Amino acid sequence: PNKSAKSPPRYCGGPPSNRKSQLGLALFLNLLSRSFGNSVHRSWRLSDYCSTEVGASHTGRSHCQSRLDIQVDLFERLPVPFGLVRFGVAPDHPEVKNVINTFTQTALHERCNFFGNVGVGKDVSVAELRQAYHAVVLSYGAEGNRRLGIPGEDLRGVYSAKDFVGWYNGLPGNKELRPDLSSETAVVLGQGNVALDVARILLSPLDILKKTDITQPSLEALAESQVQRVLIVGRRGPLQVACTIKELREMVNLPGTMPDMVTTDFEGVASVLKDLSRPRKRLTELLLKAAQGAASRQAGASRQWGFHFLRSPLEILPADDLTSTAGIRLAVNVLEGSHEGARAVPTGEVEELKCGMVISSIGYRSLCIDPAVPFDHHKAIIPNTVGRVQTGAGLYCSGWVKRGPTGVIATTMNDSFDTARSLLQDIEAGVIDVYSVKPGSRAVLSSLDSRGVKWVSFSDWEKIDKEEVRRGQRVGRPREKILDVAEMLRVAHS
Amino acid sequence: MNKQYYICVWGHCDSGTKTLFRFLSLKMSSACIRRTLVAVSQSFIPSSCNFLAFGLHFSPSPAARDRQTAYTNNRRFSSFTRILRSENKVTVNFINRDGQKITVKAAPGDSLLDVVIEQNLDIDGFGACEGTLACSTCHLIFEEDVYNKLGPITDEEMDMLDLAYGLTDTSRLGCQICLTKSLEGITVRVPDSAVDIRQPTDAGTSSSA
């Protein structure tokens, strides 16, 4: 049974008695009582306070966690929560997904409700949410993709990393991707952690992938894959790679593979090592070691990977059939400036590489989901000041849609704490009128029901979860993800 | 037929032994072999040394979330040892982000992450990955003389520490530091987790139109 949407006014005084000694609630405490003391507590008795979150990934969750005395409703487009923790984190990184336990604890809180399968901007508008709630926080991330903007981008064999990752992670919209894994060489454009994830999944031995929650169709496709070599191409040099050392180390240690790089790309790097910060220094040392072949060659290493520096994509070249990919034409660059601020400048020289697949990993992009919300199309974020959106009180944003699509889970989690702080400051300052009575989810759900939208509660998600784990156990894997929204709904409402 | 392997570790129940156990657990985890912790025995020797023996029993089998199992087993084990030496507590002081000092007593063998969780300390966002070296949210700053006394730092810990905001020369991850009597009375500082409030284009990401 679903929890009731509205809770009666609480008496807030004294220590929170419902604090369990579990990871979720223990760690994310009553920010308000610590920062602002009793003065704000008194106001809670005067009205119900309802707040809503759009987007039930780790950003949305962290808001719930920061403030225990507020009713928080989360609206999520898919029937399943957790966003990128489920669909972005690589299948061979299960420990990174541990944070799901923390978020589950929050979702199970009596003053937190999850409503899945509700598309904000489609099934319900932001304006309706603002009428129903005291505050609305938009944390719907970046589901779009930065385009290369070059000829040949729409050939068969060219994919965005977002779609490729979505494919092997079971994002329903990428179910039909069917990437072409029939050629020997794949080129990945971009040198961040997502690019390394893609390279690693393409080259990982099947024995490793078999034990993860990668989707069954992807596993079967990768079992037939002919890809033996992955080139990870970036516009700038070794000192500017955006990936981090853990992911690079995993590539270096990947069984059955060996690094294959051009050592001339590393000229001058060794001499600046001592001036670098420790994280950049360690990363660069490992990269240098891999390039110089000092990293031990793996026995029986038949697959290769390598960074290819100072190259920008100009055109993707079609095969004779004019529909599939045969190669890529790259501009050769030189660096102006140094370290993080260095710029890639084309020399006029051009290089062509033969390859059958190009995966573009140059960044995600937020989309505008509701025209009533201001949106900066150039930066692809919602314009804001520390999370406050400029159109009147009570509208906030958080996470990638606020700052841009970079950062690890911890970065985004801390960012959401910042937005929560802004929200709480606004309550304290009276910018949000907590004395007005708002209907909360009652109003939204009745609109959804009249529009025939079948929303999914958190306990419905738990049914989906159990079913996925059950199916996974049958084949010795952590879970077998359901790839189809209709089937998710069937299981959820069974 | 499943082969079974035993590794027995015998040593002081201090950070060195615990680090070795964690190292073995993590390495076994990365080879995807399920472990079952078998506590063999614990004996006290009449001096200030306490010896601890535990065995790791492996059988190759498909497993998921080995690190989760390792952490859970590790914590059950530390509860077991805690019962046996409840009088040997270590005092630890935490300076929180708002400057507030929190003083607690905890059992030797517990990691600083264990302490924060079990004592329900008011530190936002601490320990997101539950001690599996997949995040940097248990980042703590030590005093220099204490830092020099701590056990060795693995590459894996340093890799994650490199991502921590406000990294210092005396920073460690709390999930990797186990308490011993020699750490009695230490003070650790919880670093700020403030996010850079510049425009979204960070240093290190491509800056193009």
Side-chain angles (χ1 to χ4, degrees):
Chain A
N2 196 20
K3 303 182 271 294
S4 66
K6 224 161 70 144
S7 57
R10 276 179 70 88
Y11 171 68
C12 316
S17 56
N18 61 344
R19 203 194 296 179
K20 305 176 204 140
S21 60
Q22 295 194 43
L23 202 69
L25 290 180
L27 301 185
F28 301 94
L29 298 185
N30 192 333
L31 188 68
L32 191 62
S33 70
R34 235 169 5 92
S35 315
F36 300 115
N38 287 327
S39 59
V40 187
H41 289 178
R42 278 193 287 275
S43 72
W44 298 133
R45 282 184 260 171
L46 299 174
S47 69
D48 298 309
Y49 180 80
C50 305
S51 149
T52 184
E53 291 288 336
V54 177
S57 78
H58 51 274
T59 314
R61 303 261 163 206
S62 299
H63 288 141
C64 291
Q65 287 159 173
S66 295
R67 179 65 175 104
L68 296 184
D69 293 308
I70 300 175
Q71 171 74 37
V72 181
D73 293 343
L74 290 123
F75 290 93
E76 161 64 46
R77 187 174 52 107
L78 289 171
V80 298
F82 308 129
L84 282 179
V85 179
R86 176 181 162 103
F87 295 116
V89 175
D92 55 352
H93 287 166
E95 60 283 344
V96 176
K97 303 190 197 195
N98 280 348
V99 75
I100 283 179
N101 298 334
T102 305
F103 298 138
T104 299
Q105 288 306 313
T106 304
L108 294 173
H109 192 278
E110 58 186 4
R111 271 182 284 106
C112 185
N113 281 314
F114 169 79
F115 300 107
N117 199 41
V118 178
V120 174
K122 181 171 82 83
D123 299 323
V124 63
S125 69
V126 172
E128 284 179 278
L129 290 178
R130 292 185 74 182
Q131 278 188 325
Y133 290 90
H134 292 94
V136 175
V137 182
L138 300 168
S139 53
Y140 59 81
E143 61 176 320
N145 178 53
R146 280 183 74 198
R147 296 266 298 169
L148 290 166
I150 60 174
E153 192 165 0
D154 297 310
L155 286 170
R156 190 161 60 85
V158 183
Y159 312 101
S160 68
K162 179 187 80 69
D163 286 341
F164 191 75
V165 171
W167 169 72
Y168 65 64
N169 270 339
L171 187 60
N174 295 129
K175 196 164 61 123
E176 307 298 330
L177 191 75
R178 280 184 261 274
D180 184 355
L181 301 169
S182 60
S183 66
E184 196 191 282
T185 304
V187 163
V188 181
L189 298 170
Q191 294 174 334
N193 284 340
V194 178
L196 289 195
D197 276 354
V198 166
R200 195 177 69 252
I201 297 294
L202 280 172
L203 297 178
S204 277
L206 232 57
D207 288 336
I208 295 178
L209 294 179
K210 266 211 290 251
K211 300 187 178 102
T212 68
D213 63 2
I214 195 170
T215 67
Q216 186 64 25
S218 319
L219 197 57
E220 286 165 12
L222 288 165
E224 313 273 299
S225 163
Q226 305 293 314
V227 176
Q228 294 295 309
R229 193 165 161 246
V230 178
L231 293 173
I232 306 166
V233 175
R235 294 170 313 135
R236 299 190 293 173
L239 292 170
Q240 287 80 33
V241 288
C243 62
T244 53
I245 192 170
K246 174 170 176 269
E247 282 71 16
L248 179 60
R249 206 183 286 284
E250 282 178 310
M251 282 311 297
V252 171
N253 295 336
L254 192 61
T257 69
M258 60 189 215
D260 177 28
M261 286 188 263
V262 177
T263 51
T264 49
D265 282 346
F266 291 84
E267 265 165 26
V269 169
S271 55
V272 299
L273 276 178
K274 57 180 170 19
D275 302 322
L276 301 171
S277 66
R278 191 185 87 176
R280 179 57 73 178
K281 177 165 174 286
R282 291 181 72 237
L283 175 64
T284 310
E285 276 170 349
L286 183 59
L287 199 46
L288 211 55
K289 210 167 80 138
Q292 289 163 347
S296 55
R297 297 273 152 148
Q298 316 250 358
S302 56
R303 293 176 152 183
Q304 300 168 348
W305 62 276
F307 284 92
H308 202 42
F309 296 105
L310 298 167
R311 301 289 185 271
S312 295
L314 289 175
E315 183 178 348
I316 299 175
L317 307 167
D320 292 333
D321 64 5
L322 299 181
T323 54
S324 55
T325 303
I328 184 167
R329 184 175 294 139
L330 303 165
V332 177
N333 297 328
V334 82
L335 279 185
E336 268 178 23
S338 63
H339 302 305
E340 314 284 348
R343 278 180 350 272
V345 176
T347 58
E349 244 187 275
V350 154
E351 181 187 70
E352 280 183 16
L353 292 177
K354 206 158 86 96
C355 62
M357 180 162 70
V358 174
I359 297 184
S360 136
S361 180
I362 61 172
Y364 297 83
R365 225 183 124 78
S366 293
L367 304 177
C368 173
I369 61 169
D370 190 314
V373 177
F375 193 79
D376 179 336
H377 288 277
H378 177 65
K379 292 190 195 139
I381 56 165
I382 294 176
N384 69 92
T385 313
V386 205
R388 294 177 179 97
V389 182
Q390 285 117 4
T391 49
L395 188 61
Y396 302 84
C397 60
S398 175
W400 282 7
V401 79
K402 166 190 173 196
R403 296 175 65 242
T406 58
V408 296
I409 289 179
T411 323
T412 310
M413 184 173 73
N414 287 320
D415 172 76
S416 70
F417 289 153
D418 280 353
T419 298
R421 236 167 264 136
S422 296
L423 200 157
L424 295 172
Q425 280 168 4
D426 286 355
I427 293 170
E428 165 80 337
V431 172
I432 295 177
D433 181 11
V434 298
Y435 296 95
S436 63
V437 175
K438 295 278 192 172
S441 61
R442 228 180 350 150
V444 177
L445 294 184
S446 71
S447 300
L448 291 176
D449 287 338
S450 68
R451 287 167 201 161
V453 176
K454 298 258 174 293
W455 50 271
V456 170
S457 71
F458 200 77
S459 49
D460 291 336
W461 144 248
E462 285 174 323
K463 285 189 221 157
I464 298 175
D465 185 30
K466 264 201 201 54
E467 176 62 19
E468 289 185 341
V469 169
R470 194 185 66 83
R471 292 184 191 183
Q473 269 167 0
R474 275 194 296 185
V475 286
R477 313 213 285 121
R479 70 172 62 235
E480 189 57 62
K481 288 180 187 167
I482 297 176
L483 305 178
D484 187 61
V485 171
E487 198 180 343
M488 285 179 187
L489 294 176
R490 201 181 44 79
V491 172
H493 295 131
S494 62
Chain B
M1 161 133 153
N2 281 343
K3 286 195 181 167
Q4 315 210 328
Y5 307 89
Y6 292 86
I7 294 181
C8 187
V9 180
W10 178 272
H12 289 274
C13 184
D14 60 10
S15 62
T17 310
K18 197 113 189 227
T19 304
L20 177 61
F21 170 72
R22 280 192 196 278
F23 175 79
L24 286 173
S25 305
L26 287 171
K27 289 303 159 197
M28 290 306 123
S29 162
S30 68
C32 289
I33 302 172
R34 189 180 68 199
R35 297 163 316 286
T36 309
L37 174 66
V38 176
V40 175
S41 69
Q42 180 178 18
S43 59
F44 291 91
I45 293 179
S47 71
S48 58
C49 308
N50 288 322
F51 276 91
L52 193 66
F54 47 87
L56 297 171
H57 162 223
F58 307 89
S59 55
S61 72
R65 299 172 73 86
D66 290 308
R67 289 178 183 223
Q68 180 64 36
T69 315
Y71 186 69
T72 313
N73 286 343
N74 218 348
R75 289 184 60 195
R76 277 194 219 120
F77 181 65
S78 71
S79 307
F80 164 60
T81 61
R82 200 174 41 247
I83 292 163
L84 292 176
R85 59 157 81 72
S86 54
E87 64 287 346
N88 287 0
K89 295 283 197 177
V90 175
T91 305
V92 181
N93 306 295
F94 291 85
I95 310 280
N96 209 342
R97 292 181 186 123
D98 57 2
Q100 190 197 17
K101 184 167 170 181
I102 307 168
T103 301
V104 295
K105 283 197 189 301
D110 275 359
S111 73
L112 289 173
L113 174 61
D114 292 332
V115 174
V116 170
I117 295 172
E118 281 156 22
Q119 310 231 12
N120 227 348
L121 301 187
D122 182 5
I123 305 176
D124 282 342
F126 201 85
C129 77
E130 301 178 356
T132 54
L133 285 178
C135 76
S136 58
T137 60
C138 67
H139 172 207
L140 291 169
I141 300 174
F142 294 79
E143 291 160 334
E144 196 177 335
D145 53 327
V146 176
Y147 176 80
N148 293 332
K149 277 198 293 190
L150 299 174
I153 183 168
T154 59
D155 273 341
E156 277 174 305
E157 180 185 343
M158 227 186 299
D159 287 353
M160 295 321 299
L161 206 48
D162 277 354
L163 302 182
Y165 183 84
L167 184 64
T168 68
D169 290 334
T170 57
S171 289
R172 290 294 297 265
L173 292 182
C175 65
Q176 301 301 300
I177 305 300
C178 290
L179 290 176
T180 62
K181 289 303 281 174
S182 65
L183 296 179
E184 165 64 37
I186 61 168
T187 300
V188 297
R189 196 159 57 83
V190 182
D192 283 334
S193 61
V195 168
D196 192 347
I197 56 170
R198 286 178 301 170
Q199 293 305 304
T201 317
D202 304 341
T205 61
S206 53
S207 50
S208 68

